[in-house]
Amino acid sequence: MERLYQLFEAVGYVHPIHPPITHLPVGLVIGAFLLGLISLLFHHQMAGRAARYCMIIAFLSIFPTVLLGYMDWQHYFAGGWLSPIKIKLVLAAVLLILAIISLVVGRGDERTSPGVAGIYALSLFTVLGLGFFGGQLVYSGKVPAGPAEFRTGEKLFRANCSSCHPYGGNIIDPKAELRGSDELKDLQTFIRWIRDPRLDNGAKGPMPPFLPARVSDAQAKELLGYIVKVMGPAKPAPECDVTIPAIVKRTEPASVAKGKQLFEANCMGCHTVFGTEGLVGPGLKGILKRKTLPFGDWPATPENIFKQLRCPYKDMPSFREKLTDEQVFDLIAFLNTQ
Ligand code: HEC
Ligand code: HEC
């Protein structure tokens, strides 16, 4: 499925694919309603038949429309259960049922009966509701207005970010607010984030990547300007108030064994040493042989690992009280062998 979106992107079509096809059932239901009304009021047979045909094609067109809607939902909203989506799914089911009822009840009738006309009217309200909540989904996320010079950024935010980050919050993962995020600290960091957003363990999360075809570097600059202006800048990382001691390098097997025990008791729930793939935190295999630490991006030195245990980068709990300096030296001795 992602291939299909890549294909569209390659030819320059970077919008959702569901909205264009929605005109099919919407237009046909409007047609059925108007023709049905004419048939009812003027006892017009041909109009009644035409109304019925409109409804048959509307019924058939619901299936591809829902399919493309489902694909957009997976692609643009990562299948997140946003309330407009729930409402749209219910309305689509209602429309399907109404269409079936109108076709069954109206079969054999040359003219539209009052009952069937009523069902056409209900179908009309249903498609209007579907359109309204579709618009809600795409446009109406909560977007605080900024000063005039940030209008472009505001529009970009409305079109791309507001559905998941209303008011700069985060409806999928309330802990990962957009407001005050580290990723807003400068343009380069921000662009790197939106092109390839990651969970804390380095895996891909529900936030979709925004490639240059969708948000160019110049647009990212406008977007960042708006976000920082209206929702506030990155909160500065708290300074580490612990002095990092000179690390005692240990290689004796007794130390390594103690370190292994400490790792199993304190770290294993969130980290593996058998690979680099993440659990809750990143995999730590060969961590001291790497250039930089995966999150902090600072050099992969024993000092910086010590620092991570005292002043963690972000979501990892601090081991300030739990592990003495001595124990951390043993842990580092163990990590060094992995
Ligand atoms: C489909 C929902 C969705 C959309 C759309 C979305 N995000 Fe996110 N965003 C998330 C989620 C979920 C997270 C938490 C991390 C993750 O899952 O990847 C997140 C995290 C973030 C963070 C980091 C927050 C932190 O914890 O430091 C920033 C910054 C961010 N998003 C910016 C944006 C911008 C800018 C846009 C629009 C261009 C956008 N997001 C569009 C869902 C979304
Ligand atoms: C509750 C889960 C959890 C536990 C327990 C935990 N970590 Fe972490 N660790 C994380 C997360 C999440 C990160 C990602 C960076 C962050 O959010 O601080 C991380 C990152 C790291 C990093 C990389 C830091 C960077 O800047 O890239 C190291 C090294 C590390 N942890 C070592 C340890 C050691 C050693 C222990 C055991 C004493 C431990 N962790 C226990 C969750 C945990």
Side-chain angles (χ1 to χ4, degrees):
M1 199 175 89
E2 285 308 307
R3 285 263 178 77
L4 191 67
Y5 283 94
Q6 283 163 10
L7 200 75
F8 279 132
E9 239 162 58
V11 297
Y13 185 87
V14 293
H15 303 293
I17 51 181
H18 165 76
I21 199 179
T22 56
H23 295 100
L24 209 58
V26 173
L28 287 160
V29 167
I30 295 175
F33 171 72
L34 292 177
L35 290 163
L37 203 62
I38 293 172
S39 168
L40 180 70
L41 295 179
F42 304 108
H43 306 289
H44 201 295
Q45 287 197 0
M46 202 127 79
R49 219 175 303 140
R52 193 175 154 75
Y53 290 148
C54 280
M55 209 56 184
I56 292 175
I57 310 176
F59 170 75
L60 294 176
S61 71
I62 293 173
F63 298 97
T65 310
V66 170
L67 176 68
L68 295 189
Y70 174 81
M71 287 166 61
D72 278 350
W73 176 39
Q74 294 301 317
H75 183 74
Y76 288 102
F77 298 96
W81 284 103
L82 315 181
S83 24
I85 298 230
K86 289 184 203 158
I87 299 175
K88 278 176 75 83
L89 283 171
V90 173
L91 288 179
V94 170
L95 182 62
L96 200 65
I97 294 169
L98 288 174
I100 294 174
I101 297 179
S102 79
L103 294 176
V104 172
V105 172
R107 75 179 181 283
D109 290 351
E110 282 299 330
R111 269 182 265 128
T112 303
S113 65
V116 170
I119 301 173
Y120 290 162
L122 286 178
S123 309
L124 181 66
F125 284 122
T126 313
V127 290
L128 291 180
L130 280 161
F132 175 80
F133 288 106
Q136 185 93 335
L137 202 55
V138 181
Y139 292 115
S140 93
K142 309 293 188 282
V143 185
E149 70 265 36
F150 294 102
R151 252 330 101 72
T152 315
E154 185 187 320
K155 279 194 194 142
L156 287 162
F157 185 79
R158 191 188 300 278
N160 296 294
C161 324
S162 65
S163 48
C164 295
H165 296 291
Y167 294 118
N170 190 329
I171 55 162
I172 297 182
D173 178 0
K175 278 199 306 229
E177 286 198 335
L178 165 72
R179 203 184 302 121
S181 160
D182 277 353
E183 314 297 340
L184 306 175
K185 67 176 178 242
D186 54 55
L187 184 60
Q188 212 186 346
T189 310
F190 179 69
I191 291 181
R192 201 175 342 139
W193 170 264
I194 60 168
R195 301 278 184 255
D196 187 20
R198 295 284 165 163
L199 297 175
D200 282 341
N201 63 11
K204 278 187 194 299
M207 174 162 158
F210 291 87
L211 301 178
R214 194 134 171 242
V215 177
S216 69
D217 284 8
Q219 288 175 320
K221 187 165 177 229
E222 298 280 348
L223 187 56
L224 180 63
Y226 163 78
I227 293 174
V228 168
K229 176 75 193 171
V230 175
M231 298 162 190
K235 290 198 200 90
E239 286 292 311
C240 191
D241 52 356
V242 173
T243 23
I244 306 300
I247 304 287
V248 185
K249 273 230 172 86
R250 293 186 169 161
T251 47
E252 332 60 277
S255 243
V256 173
K258 263 194 240 158
K260 181 166 192 269
Q261 271 178 4
L262 287 166
F263 187 86
E264 286 166 356
N266 294 287
C267 324
M268 216 152 73
C270 299
H271 295 284
T272 163
V273 278
F274 301 116
T276 51
E277 70 283 3
L279 298 174
V280 179
L284 296 181
K285 183 178 168 63
I287 186 76
L288 280 157
K289 299 180 188 75
R290 299 184 207 171
K291 268 222 192 81
T292 56
L293 293 185
F295 275 80
D297 256 354
W298 22 75
T301 57
E303 286 76 13
N304 282 331
I305 293 198
F306 195 104
K307 184 166 166 229
Q308 170 73 8
L309 295 174
R310 294 295 183 249
C311 304
Y313 174 76
K314 197 167 148 220
D315 294 328
M316 181 169 128
S318 167
F319 286 87
R320 242 174 239 231
E321 264 87 55
K322 263 183 121 180
L323 296 174
T324 63
D325 288 5
E326 286 296 311
Q327 287 176 312
V328 177
F329 297 153
D330 288 338
L331 252 174
I332 291 173
F334 166 68
L335 288 175
N336 215 0
T337 63
Q338 296 303 302

